[in-house]
């Protein structure tokens, strides 16, 4: 069968700081192609709907799959589904991805027949059975698939993540992917899942707190096949298991593979496994994203980070000693007042690290979606992008955005302003010499993207598609939040026999 996979447009945050290759969609494409299907991918982050329309008309897919890892893209995806059905009513349209897995039935209803199915859970083990069932006449019994008739069996989970390999060759605009000055930049996955249970995050609820590792040999072989000089390691928390990080490093050293790396991790993991990170700096680790989330104990307790402010600041010292450039994320609580914003600005100016701000947002699949007592002020999918306030703010909304943008602008001038740009001329010049303009464009478009008037105006747009109201759920049993149940291990299987 002919399958066309689509990644929606970039969100506000991605317009400046990063644009990552759709690794999950590439892996789904790899699984479908391995099963004998003809596959193509269109990424609307780097191209337009005209290219999608031309591809749809020439390829004439039997099925169109849209990846929805972000709630904010759901209205766009429903629009794409309607357009596909108008062009070819026989085309089977399905959605999949992290965020839509938590609101599958609601999205099907909102699409009013334009979406035939939603795939809950991991896409790689679902896509081949889905296409096979579609060819045979019905998909209702496929694991993980939700249709108007109801849910099928529970979604399947990959036992290991060594395969399928991502179909990177299907991406036509690979030079458009970047993160900061790593331009161009590919992505790779060493582990999947997260053993922590932060209240604002849905990674652990999606995977049922499971944690799987790629084999060192497979990880190194995949890296060897990546042509880009820069690689973003997409793991939720990198190098939780030090022996795994060392094993991959050994394979890279043996193969003499050298790239520049960017990764995400936690402060306590960095402190506990400093030797692993030190070894990776010799392999090319240059950048690290640390989700500090808050600068005081009260904020860390609120988000159940299970780290202390002292651990966070000691981790920054370790990263500085190792020569790793760090980007810090802080979560903006809508309850902040002007004084709190001022204190955060002072903190951001007092440390050498880059500081990013994201707005606290209750998402379906997170605990705070079910336990947040404050009433949502909007259910417009498009505003659930961690850059807009969707619960009441202590400050008037326009003042909140003014303070948010002011704080972001202060940070931007510190790290991305003209004076800093002169310091980055060597990197910038090297990128431009290779025809890479993503980083250069990022430096000067902050004011166009981050604008308090724009953010206020976003709240005034007509709303056609809304998030479902939170359903009451007793989260004392965390398993009720899971999309995937943990795969049964050999020991558990023996016990059940």
């Amino acid at each position: 069968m002919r399958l066309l996979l689509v990644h929606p447009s970039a969100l506000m945050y991605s317009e400046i700081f990063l644009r990552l290759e759709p690794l999950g969609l590439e892996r789904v494409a790899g699984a479908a192609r391995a099963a004998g299907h003809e596959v193509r991918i269109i990424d609307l982050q780097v191209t337009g709907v005209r290219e999608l329309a031309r591809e749809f008309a020439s390829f004439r897919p039997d099925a169109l799959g849209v990846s929805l890892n972000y709630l904010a893209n759901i209205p766009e995806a429903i629009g794409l589904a309607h357009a596909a059905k108008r062009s070819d009513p026989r085309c089977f349209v399905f959605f999949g991805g992290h965020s839509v897995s938590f609101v599958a039935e609601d999205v099907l209803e909102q699409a009013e027949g334009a979406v035939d199915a939603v795939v809950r859970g991991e896409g790689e083990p679902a896509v081949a059975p889905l296409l096979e069932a579609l060819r045979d006449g019905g998909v209702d019994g496929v694991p993980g698939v939700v249709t108007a008739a109801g849910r099928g069996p529970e979604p399947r989970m990959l036992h290991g993540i060594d395969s399928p390999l991502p179909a990177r060759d299907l991406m036509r605009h690979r030079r458009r992917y970047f993160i900061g000055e790593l331009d161009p930049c590919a992505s790779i996955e060493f582990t999947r899942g997260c053993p922590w249970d932060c209240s604002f995050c849905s990674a652990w609820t999606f995977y049922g707190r499971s944690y799987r590792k790629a084999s060192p040999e497979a990880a190194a072989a995949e890296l060897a096949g990546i042509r880009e000089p820069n690689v973003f390691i997409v793991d939720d928390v990198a190098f939780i298991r030090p022996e795994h990080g060392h094993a991959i490093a050994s394979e890279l050293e043996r193969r003499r593979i050298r790239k520049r790396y960017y990764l995400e991790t936690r402060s306590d993991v960095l402190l506990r496994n400093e030797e692993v990170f030190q070894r990776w700096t010799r392999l090319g680790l240059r950048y690290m994203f640390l989700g500090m989330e808050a600068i005081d104990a009260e904020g860390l307790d609120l988000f159940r980070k299970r780290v202390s402010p002292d651990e966070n600041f000691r981790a920054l010292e370790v990263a500085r000693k190792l020569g790793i450039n760090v980007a810090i994320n802080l979560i903006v609580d809508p309850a902040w007042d002007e004084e709190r914003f001022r204190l955060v600005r002072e903190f951001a100016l007092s440390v050498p690290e880059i500081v990013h701000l994201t707005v606290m947002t209750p998402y379906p699949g997170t605990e705070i979606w079910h336990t947040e007592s404050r009433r949502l002020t909007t259910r417009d999918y498009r505003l659930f992008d961690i850059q807009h306030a969707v619960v009441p703010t202590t400050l008037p909304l326009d003042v909140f955005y003014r303070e948010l943008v002011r704080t972001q602008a202060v940070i931007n001038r510190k790290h991305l302003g003209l004076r800093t740009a002169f310091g980055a001329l060597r990197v910038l010049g090297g990128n431009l010499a290779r025809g890479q303009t993503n980083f250069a464009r990022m430096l000067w478009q902050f004011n166009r993207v981050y604008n308090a008037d724009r953010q206020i105006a976003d709240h005034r747009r007509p709303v056609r598609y809304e998030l479902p109201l939170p359903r009451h759920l007793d989260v004392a049993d965390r398993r009720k939040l899971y999309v995937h149940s943990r795969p049964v291990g050999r020991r558990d299987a023996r016990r059940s026999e």
Side-chain angles (χ1 to χ4, degrees), residues 332 336 338 340-346 348-349 355 357 400-413 446:
V332 177
W336 283 7
E338 290 167 309
R340 187 62 177 177
F341 276 109
R342 185 188 68 79
L343 291 173
V344 169
R345 285 194 292 271
E346 286 187 356
L349 293 174
V355 179
L357 301 178
F400 174 83
Y401 281 132
R402 185 192 69 200
E403 287 295 311
L404 176 63
V405 171
R406 179 185 178 192
T407 305
Q408 290 168 321
V410 167
I411 298 167
N412 177 68
R413 285 195 299 273
F446 179 88

PDB file of all heavy atoms in Angstrom, residues 332 336 338 340-346 348-349 355 357 400-413 446:
ATOM      1  N   VAL A 332       7.367  28.892  34.127  1.00  0.00           N
ATOM      2  CA  VAL A 332       6.699  30.100  34.603  1.00  0.00           C
ATOM      3  C   VAL A 332       5.334  29.714  35.161  1.00  0.00           C
ATOM      4  O   VAL A 332       4.481  29.199  34.435  1.00  0.00           O
ATOM      5  CB  VAL A 332       6.523  31.116  33.459  1.00  0.00           C
ATOM      6  CG1 VAL A 332       5.759  32.346  33.945  1.00  0.00           C
ATOM      7  CG2 VAL A 332       7.881  31.516  32.884  1.00  0.00           C
ATOM      8  N   TRP A 336       2.759  33.867  39.102  1.00  0.00           N
ATOM      9  CA  TRP A 336       3.838  34.826  39.332  1.00  0.00           C
ATOM     10  C   TRP A 336       3.322  36.258  39.261  1.00  0.00           C
ATOM     11  O   TRP A 336       2.458  36.591  38.435  1.00  0.00           O
ATOM     12  CB  TRP A 336       4.934  34.654  38.285  1.00  0.00           C
ATOM     13  CG  TRP A 336       5.831  33.482  38.517  1.00  0.00           C
ATOM     14  CD1 TRP A 336       5.700  32.497  39.453  1.00  0.00           C
ATOM     15  CD2 TRP A 336       7.004  33.161  37.762  1.00  0.00           C
ATOM     16  NE1 TRP A 336       6.707  31.584  39.333  1.00  0.00           N
ATOM     17  CE2 TRP A 336       7.524  31.958  38.314  1.00  0.00           C
ATOM     18  CE3 TRP A 336       7.652  33.753  36.695  1.00  0.00           C
ATOM     19  CZ2 TRP A 336       8.678  31.362  37.811  1.00  0.00           C
ATOM     20  CZ3 TRP A 336       8.800  33.154  36.187  1.00  0.00           C
ATOM     21  CH2 TRP A 336       9.306  31.971  36.744  1.00  0.00           C
ATOM     22  N   GLU A 338       4.844  40.578  39.417  1.00  0.00           N
ATOM     23  CA  GLU A 338       5.944  41.316  38.801  1.00  0.00           C
ATOM     24  C   GLU A 338       7.249  41.129  39.552  1.00  0.00           C
ATOM     25  O   GLU A 338       8.328  41.093  38.959  1.00  0.00           O
ATOM     26  CB  GLU A 338       5.569  42.804  38.704  1.00  0.00           C
ATOM     27  CG  GLU A 338       4.475  43.067  37.664  1.00  0.00           C
ATOM     28  CD  GLU A 338       3.891  44.464  37.781  1.00  0.00           C
ATOM     29  OE1 GLU A 338       3.512  44.837  38.903  1.00  0.00           O
ATOM     30  OE2 GLU A 338       3.818  45.143  36.754  1.00  0.00           O
ATOM     31  N   ARG A 340       8.208  38.456  41.152  1.00  0.00           N
ATOM     32  CA  ARG A 340       8.771  37.145  40.820  1.00  0.00           C
ATOM     33  C   ARG A 340       9.469  37.177  39.468  1.00  0.00           C
ATOM     34  O   ARG A 340      10.556  36.618  39.300  1.00  0.00           O
ATOM     35  CB  ARG A 340       7.663  36.088  40.816  1.00  0.00           C
ATOM     36  CG  ARG A 340       8.162  34.668  40.652  1.00  0.00           C
ATOM     37  CD  ARG A 340       9.055  34.276  41.805  1.00  0.00           C
ATOM     38  NE  ARG A 340       9.487  32.893  41.718  1.00  0.00           N
ATOM     39  CZ  ARG A 340      10.330  32.329  42.580  1.00  0.00           C
ATOM     40  NH1 ARG A 340      10.797  33.035  43.586  1.00  0.00           N
ATOM     41  NH2 ARG A 340      10.681  31.069  42.435  1.00  0.00           N
ATOM     42  N   PHE A 341       8.870  37.835  38.497  1.00  0.00           N
ATOM     43  CA  PHE A 341       9.529  37.976  37.196  1.00  0.00           C
ATOM     44  C   PHE A 341      10.856  38.716  37.355  1.00  0.00           C
ATOM     45  O   PHE A 341      11.856  38.367  36.722  1.00  0.00           O
ATOM     46  CB  PHE A 341       8.621  38.714  36.216  1.00  0.00           C
ATOM     47  CG  PHE A 341       7.618  37.830  35.517  1.00  0.00           C
ATOM     48  CD1 PHE A 341       6.262  37.911  35.819  1.00  0.00           C
ATOM     49  CD2 PHE A 341       8.017  36.932  34.553  1.00  0.00           C
ATOM     50  CE1 PHE A 341       5.335  37.112  35.174  1.00  0.00           C
ATOM     51  CE2 PHE A 341       7.094  36.117  33.901  1.00  0.00           C
ATOM     52  CZ  PHE A 341       5.748  36.211  34.216  1.00  0.00           C
ATOM     53  N   ARG A 342      10.863  39.758  38.211  1.00  0.00           N
ATOM     54  CA  ARG A 342      12.094  40.513  38.413  1.00  0.00           C
ATOM     55  C   ARG A 342      13.194  39.632  38.995  1.00  0.00           C
ATOM     56  O   ARG A 342      14.364  39.678  38.551  1.00  0.00           O
ATOM     57  CB  ARG A 342      11.834  41.704  39.350  1.00  0.00           C
ATOM     58  CG  ARG A 342      13.050  42.629  39.522  1.00  0.00           C
ATOM     59  CD  ARG A 342      12.810  43.662  40.607  1.00  0.00           C
ATOM     60  NE  ARG A 342      12.736  43.041  41.931  1.00  0.00           N
ATOM     61  CZ  ARG A 342      13.808  42.650  42.637  1.00  0.00           C
ATOM     62  NH1 ARG A 342      15.028  42.813  42.139  1.00  0.00           N
ATOM     63  NH2 ARG A 342      13.655  42.101  43.822  1.00  0.00           N
ATOM     64  N   LEU A 343      12.842  38.787  39.965  1.00  0.00           N
ATOM     65  CA  LEU A 343      13.826  37.895  40.571  1.00  0.00           C
ATOM     66  C   LEU A 343      14.376  36.901  39.553  1.00  0.00           C
ATOM     67  O   LEU A 343      15.574  36.585  39.562  1.00  0.00           O
ATOM     68  CB  LEU A 343      13.194  37.156  41.746  1.00  0.00           C
ATOM     69  CG  LEU A 343      12.864  38.000  42.981  1.00  0.00           C
ATOM     70  CD1 LEU A 343      12.085  37.165  43.997  1.00  0.00           C
ATOM     71  CD2 LEU A 343      14.128  38.567  43.608  1.00  0.00           C
ATOM     72  N   VAL A 344      13.517  36.407  38.674  1.00  0.00           N
ATOM     73  CA  VAL A 344      13.967  35.471  37.648  1.00  0.00           C
ATOM     74  C   VAL A 344      14.907  36.169  36.668  1.00  0.00           C
ATOM     75  O   VAL A 344      15.917  35.594  36.230  1.00  0.00           O
ATOM     76  CB  VAL A 344      12.763  34.832  36.928  1.00  0.00           C
ATOM     77  CG1 VAL A 344      13.207  34.070  35.684  1.00  0.00           C
ATOM     78  CG2 VAL A 344      12.018  33.907  37.870  1.00  0.00           C
ATOM     79  N   ARG A 345      14.589  37.417  36.324  1.00  0.00           N
ATOM     80  CA  ARG A 345      15.494  38.167  35.440  1.00  0.00           C
ATOM     81  C   ARG A 345      16.866  38.325  36.094  1.00  0.00           C
ATOM     82  O   ARG A 345      17.906  38.164  35.442  1.00  0.00           O
ATOM     83  CB  ARG A 345      14.903  39.527  35.099  1.00  0.00           C
ATOM     84  CG  ARG A 345      13.770  39.477  34.104  1.00  0.00           C
ATOM     85  CD  ARG A 345      13.448  40.850  33.543  1.00  0.00           C
ATOM     86  NE  ARG A 345      12.867  41.741  34.541  1.00  0.00           N
ATOM     87  CZ  ARG A 345      11.562  41.840  34.801  1.00  0.00           C
ATOM     88  NH1 ARG A 345      10.696  41.079  34.141  1.00  0.00           N
ATOM     89  NH2 ARG A 345      11.113  42.687  35.705  1.00  0.00           N
ATOM     90  N   GLU A 346      16.872  38.639  37.386  1.00  0.00           N
ATOM     91  CA  GLU A 346      18.142  38.785  38.093  1.00  0.00           C
ATOM     92  C   GLU A 346      18.924  37.480  38.077  1.00  0.00           C
ATOM     93  O   GLU A 346      20.140  37.475  37.864  1.00  0.00           O
ATOM     94  CB  GLU A 346      17.889  39.230  39.537  1.00  0.00           C
ATOM     95  CG  GLU A 346      17.481  40.684  39.678  1.00  0.00           C
ATOM     96  CD  GLU A 346      17.400  41.116  41.137  1.00  0.00           C
ATOM     97  OE1 GLU A 346      17.588  40.242  42.013  1.00  0.00           O
ATOM     98  OE2 GLU A 346      17.139  42.300  41.391  1.00  0.00           O
ATOM     99  N   ALA A 348      18.679  35.044  35.853  1.00  0.00           N
ATOM    100  CA  ALA A 348      19.124  34.746  34.487  1.00  0.00           C
ATOM    101  C   ALA A 348      20.355  35.555  34.114  1.00  0.00           C
ATOM    102  O   ALA A 348      21.223  35.073  33.371  1.00  0.00           O
ATOM    103  CB  ALA A 348      17.988  35.020  33.505  1.00  0.00           C
ATOM    104  N   LEU A 349      20.457  36.778  34.636  1.00  0.00           N
ATOM    105  CA  LEU A 349      21.611  37.620  34.328  1.00  0.00           C
ATOM    106  C   LEU A 349      22.820  37.281  35.189  1.00  0.00           C
ATOM    107  O   LEU A 349      23.944  37.669  34.862  1.00  0.00           O
ATOM    108  CB  LEU A 349      21.245  39.093  34.510  1.00  0.00           C
ATOM    109  CG  LEU A 349      20.223  39.651  33.516  1.00  0.00           C
ATOM    110  CD1 LEU A 349      19.839  41.078  33.879  1.00  0.00           C
ATOM    111  CD2 LEU A 349      20.754  39.598  32.087  1.00  0.00           C
ATOM    112  N   VAL A 355      19.004  30.745  29.667  1.00  0.00           N
ATOM    113  CA  VAL A 355      17.802  30.411  30.429  1.00  0.00           C
ATOM    114  C   VAL A 355      16.594  30.482  29.494  1.00  0.00           C
ATOM    115  O   VAL A 355      16.366  31.507  28.843  1.00  0.00           O
ATOM    116  CB  VAL A 355      17.604  31.361  31.624  1.00  0.00           C
ATOM    117  CG1 VAL A 355      16.321  31.006  32.375  1.00  0.00           C
ATOM    118  CG2 VAL A 355      18.805  31.285  32.565  1.00  0.00           C
ATOM    119  N   LEU A 357      12.328  29.941  29.187  1.00  0.00           N
ATOM    120  CA  LEU A 357      11.111  29.986  29.985  1.00  0.00           C
ATOM    121  C   LEU A 357       9.986  29.269  29.253  1.00  0.00           C
ATOM    122  O   LEU A 357       9.772  29.498  28.061  1.00  0.00           O
ATOM    123  CB  LEU A 357      10.691  31.432  30.262  1.00  0.00           C
ATOM    124  CG  LEU A 357      11.686  32.327  30.997  1.00  0.00           C
ATOM    125  CD1 LEU A 357      11.117  33.731  31.142  1.00  0.00           C
ATOM    126  CD2 LEU A 357      12.047  31.752  32.362  1.00  0.00           C
ATOM    127  N   PHE A 400       0.818  40.021  32.371  1.00  0.00           N
ATOM    128  CA  PHE A 400       1.563  38.761  32.458  1.00  0.00           C
ATOM    129  C   PHE A 400       2.411  38.556  31.217  1.00  0.00           C
ATOM    130  O   PHE A 400       3.611  38.259  31.311  1.00  0.00           O
ATOM    131  CB  PHE A 400       0.598  37.594  32.636  1.00  0.00           C
ATOM    132  CG  PHE A 400       1.244  36.241  32.591  1.00  0.00           C
ATOM    133  CD1 PHE A 400       1.843  35.702  33.716  1.00  0.00           C
ATOM    134  CD2 PHE A 400       1.270  35.501  31.413  1.00  0.00           C
ATOM    135  CE1 PHE A 400       2.449  34.441  33.679  1.00  0.00           C
ATOM    136  CE2 PHE A 400       1.867  34.251  31.369  1.00  0.00           C
ATOM    137  CZ  PHE A 400       2.465  33.724  32.510  1.00  0.00           C
ATOM    138  N   TYR A 401       1.827  38.743  30.040  1.00  0.00           N
ATOM    139  CA  TYR A 401       2.591  38.566  28.797  1.00  0.00           C
ATOM    140  C   TYR A 401       3.657  39.638  28.649  1.00  0.00           C
ATOM    141  O   TYR A 401       4.756  39.368  28.145  1.00  0.00           O
ATOM    142  CB  TYR A 401       1.654  38.563  27.593  1.00  0.00           C
ATOM    143  CG  TYR A 401       0.939  37.249  27.386  1.00  0.00           C
ATOM    144  CD1 TYR A 401      -0.425  37.202  27.162  1.00  0.00           C
ATOM    145  CD2 TYR A 401       1.634  36.046  27.413  1.00  0.00           C
ATOM    146  CE1 TYR A 401      -1.089  35.996  26.976  1.00  0.00           C
ATOM    147  CE2 TYR A 401       0.984  34.837  27.232  1.00  0.00           C
ATOM    148  CZ  TYR A 401      -0.380  34.811  27.015  1.00  0.00           C
ATOM    149  OH  TYR A 401      -1.031  33.616  26.831  1.00  0.00           O
ATOM    150  N   ARG A 402       3.357  40.852  29.094  1.00  0.00           N
ATOM    151  CA  ARG A 402       4.366  41.915  29.026  1.00  0.00           C
ATOM    152  C   ARG A 402       5.579  41.541  29.867  1.00  0.00           C
ATOM    153  O   ARG A 402       6.723  41.691  29.433  1.00  0.00           O
ATOM    154  CB  ARG A 402       3.765  43.233  29.524  1.00  0.00           C
ATOM    155  CG  ARG A 402       4.710  44.441  29.374  1.00  0.00           C
ATOM    156  CD  ARG A 402       4.172  45.625  30.151  1.00  0.00           C
ATOM    157  NE  ARG A 402       4.252  45.393  31.599  1.00  0.00           N
ATOM    158  CZ  ARG A 402       3.545  46.048  32.501  1.00  0.00           C
ATOM    159  NH1 ARG A 402       2.641  46.944  32.122  1.00  0.00           N
ATOM    160  NH2 ARG A 402       3.707  45.790  33.796  1.00  0.00           N
ATOM    161  N   GLU A 403       5.336  41.021  31.083  1.00  0.00           N
ATOM    162  CA  GLU A 403       6.435  40.621  31.957  1.00  0.00           C
ATOM    163  C   GLU A 403       7.163  39.393  31.406  1.00  0.00           C
ATOM    164  O   GLU A 403       8.393  39.297  31.480  1.00  0.00           O
ATOM    165  CB  GLU A 403       5.900  40.326  33.363  1.00  0.00           C
ATOM    166  CG  GLU A 403       5.508  41.564  34.137  1.00  0.00           C
ATOM    167  CD  GLU A 403       6.703  42.457  34.430  1.00  0.00           C
ATOM    168  OE1 GLU A 403       7.739  41.942  34.909  1.00  0.00           O
ATOM    169  OE2 GLU A 403       6.613  43.677  34.164  1.00  0.00           O
ATOM    170  N   LEU A 404       6.412  38.457  30.847  1.00  0.00           N
ATOM    171  CA  LEU A 404       7.019  37.262  30.266  1.00  0.00           C
ATOM    172  C   LEU A 404       7.941  37.632  29.109  1.00  0.00           C
ATOM    173  O   LEU A 404       9.101  37.200  29.045  1.00  0.00           O
ATOM    174  CB  LEU A 404       5.927  36.302  29.797  1.00  0.00           C
ATOM    175  CG  LEU A 404       6.379  35.033  29.067  1.00  0.00           C
ATOM    176  CD1 LEU A 404       7.208  34.150  29.984  1.00  0.00           C
ATOM    177  CD2 LEU A 404       5.168  34.257  28.531  1.00  0.00           C
ATOM    178  N   VAL A 405       7.445  38.439  28.188  1.00  0.00           N
ATOM    179  CA  VAL A 405       8.246  38.835  27.025  1.00  0.00           C
ATOM    180  C   VAL A 405       9.418  39.709  27.449  1.00  0.00           C
ATOM    181  O   VAL A 405      10.528  39.592  26.913  1.00  0.00           O
ATOM    182  CB  VAL A 405       7.364  39.547  25.987  1.00  0.00           C
ATOM    183  CG1 VAL A 405       8.214  40.152  24.878  1.00  0.00           C
ATOM    184  CG2 VAL A 405       6.358  38.567  25.398  1.00  0.00           C
ATOM    185  N   ARG A 406       9.186  40.584  28.426  1.00  0.00           N
ATOM    186  CA  ARG A 406      10.280  41.414  28.928  1.00  0.00           C
ATOM    187  C   ARG A 406      11.400  40.553  29.493  1.00  0.00           C
ATOM    188  O   ARG A 406      12.582  40.795  29.222  1.00  0.00           O
ATOM    189  CB  ARG A 406       9.748  42.360  30.007  1.00  0.00           C
ATOM    190  CG  ARG A 406      10.807  43.275  30.624  1.00  0.00           C
ATOM    191  CD  ARG A 406      10.201  44.073  31.770  1.00  0.00           C
ATOM    192  NE  ARG A 406      11.193  44.911  32.416  1.00  0.00           N
ATOM    193  CZ  ARG A 406      11.015  45.541  33.574  1.00  0.00           C
ATOM    194  NH1 ARG A 406       9.827  45.422  34.200  1.00  0.00           N
ATOM    195  NH2 ARG A 406      11.953  46.270  34.115  1.00  0.00           N
ATOM    196  N   THR A 407      11.033  39.529  30.258  1.00  0.00           N
ATOM    197  CA  THR A 407      12.035  38.638  30.836  1.00  0.00           C
ATOM    198  C   THR A 407      12.746  37.859  29.744  1.00  0.00           C
ATOM    199  O   THR A 407      13.985  37.713  29.761  1.00  0.00           O
ATOM    200  CB  THR A 407      11.361  37.673  31.835  1.00  0.00           C
ATOM    201  OG1 THR A 407      10.646  38.448  32.810  1.00  0.00           O
ATOM    202  CG2 THR A 407      12.384  36.799  32.525  1.00  0.00           C
ATOM    203  N   GLN A 408      12.005  37.352  28.774  1.00  0.00           N
ATOM    204  CA  GLN A 408      12.621  36.620  27.666  1.00  0.00           C
ATOM    205  C   GLN A 408      13.540  37.532  26.858  1.00  0.00           C
ATOM    206  O   GLN A 408      14.599  37.110  26.391  1.00  0.00           O
ATOM    207  CB  GLN A 408      11.532  36.031  26.775  1.00  0.00           C
ATOM    208  CG  GLN A 408      10.768  34.883  27.429  1.00  0.00           C
ATOM    209  CD  GLN A 408       9.510  34.510  26.660  1.00  0.00           C
ATOM    210  OE1 GLN A 408       8.809  35.386  26.158  1.00  0.00           O
ATOM    211  NE2 GLN A 408       9.235  33.227  26.586  1.00  0.00           N
ATOM    212  N   ALA A 409      13.141  38.803  26.695  1.00  0.00           N
ATOM    213  CA  ALA A 409      13.948  39.737  25.911  1.00  0.00           C
ATOM    214  C   ALA A 409      15.271  40.046  26.604  1.00  0.00           C
ATOM    215  O   ALA A 409      16.315  40.168  25.956  1.00  0.00           O
ATOM    216  CB  ALA A 409      13.156  41.016  25.670  1.00  0.00           C
ATOM    217  N   VAL A 410      15.231  40.184  27.935  1.00  0.00           N
ATOM    218  CA  VAL A 410      16.461  40.410  28.679  1.00  0.00           C
ATOM    219  C   VAL A 410      17.422  39.242  28.477  1.00  0.00           C
ATOM    220  O   VAL A 410      18.614  39.422  28.232  1.00  0.00           O
ATOM    221  CB  VAL A 410      16.143  40.614  30.177  1.00  0.00           C
ATOM    222  CG1 VAL A 410      17.420  40.529  31.017  1.00  0.00           C
ATOM    223  CG2 VAL A 410      15.457  41.955  30.397  1.00  0.00           C
ATOM    224  N   ILE A 411      16.894  38.038  28.573  1.00  0.00           N
ATOM    225  CA  ILE A 411      17.713  36.843  28.371  1.00  0.00           C
ATOM    226  C   ILE A 411      18.227  36.790  26.940  1.00  0.00           C
ATOM    227  O   ILE A 411      19.397  36.465  26.684  1.00  0.00           O
ATOM    228  CB  ILE A 411      16.896  35.580  28.712  1.00  0.00           C
ATOM    229  CG1 ILE A 411      16.483  35.600  30.190  1.00  0.00           C
ATOM    230  CG2 ILE A 411      17.688  34.321  28.384  1.00  0.00           C
ATOM    231  CD1 ILE A 411      15.434  34.564  30.545  1.00  0.00           C
ATOM    232  N   ASN A 412      17.375  37.137  25.984  1.00  0.00           N
ATOM    233  CA  ASN A 412      17.764  37.108  24.577  1.00  0.00           C
ATOM    234  C   ASN A 412      18.902  38.084  24.296  1.00  0.00           C
ATOM    235  O   ASN A 412      19.855  37.754  23.588  1.00  0.00           O
ATOM    236  CB  ASN A 412      16.552  37.444  23.706  1.00  0.00           C
ATOM    237  CG  ASN A 412      16.907  37.495  22.236  1.00  0.00           C
ATOM    238  OD1 ASN A 412      17.228  36.500  21.632  1.00  0.00           O
ATOM    239  ND2 ASN A 412      16.870  38.705  21.657  1.00  0.00           N
ATOM    240  N   ARG A 413      18.796  39.291  24.858  1.00  0.00           N
ATOM    241  CA  ARG A 413      19.866  40.274  24.626  1.00  0.00           C
ATOM    242  C   ARG A 413      21.188  39.798  25.205  1.00  0.00           C
ATOM    243  O   ARG A 413      22.262  40.058  24.655  1.00  0.00           O
ATOM    244  CB  ARG A 413      19.480  41.619  25.244  1.00  0.00           C
ATOM    245  CG  ARG A 413      18.432  42.394  24.448  1.00  0.00           C
ATOM    246  CD  ARG A 413      18.364  43.833  24.890  1.00  0.00           C
ATOM    247  NE  ARG A 413      17.981  43.979  26.294  1.00  0.00           N
ATOM    248  CZ  ARG A 413      16.717  44.045  26.720  1.00  0.00           C
ATOM    249  NH1 ARG A 413      15.732  43.969  25.833  1.00  0.00           N
ATOM    250  NH2 ARG A 413      16.447  44.187  27.998  1.00  0.00           N
ATOM    251  N   PHE A 446      13.809  37.265  17.088  1.00  0.00           N
ATOM    252  CA  PHE A 446      13.165  37.123  18.388  1.00  0.00           C
ATOM    253  C   PHE A 446      11.956  38.037  18.529  1.00  0.00           C
ATOM    254  O   PHE A 446      10.873  37.609  18.936  1.00  0.00           O
ATOM    255  CB  PHE A 446      14.168  37.410  19.507  1.00  0.00           C
ATOM    256  CG  PHE A 446      13.575  37.304  20.893  1.00  0.00           C
ATOM    257  CD1 PHE A 446      13.558  36.096  21.564  1.00  0.00           C
ATOM    258  CD2 PHE A 446      13.023  38.420  21.514  1.00  0.00           C
ATOM    259  CE1 PHE A 446      12.999  35.991  22.825  1.00  0.00           C
ATOM    260  CE2 PHE A 446      12.468  38.329  22.775  1.00  0.00           C
ATOM    261  CZ  PHE A 446      12.459  37.110  23.434  1.00  0.00           C
TER     262      PHE A 446
END
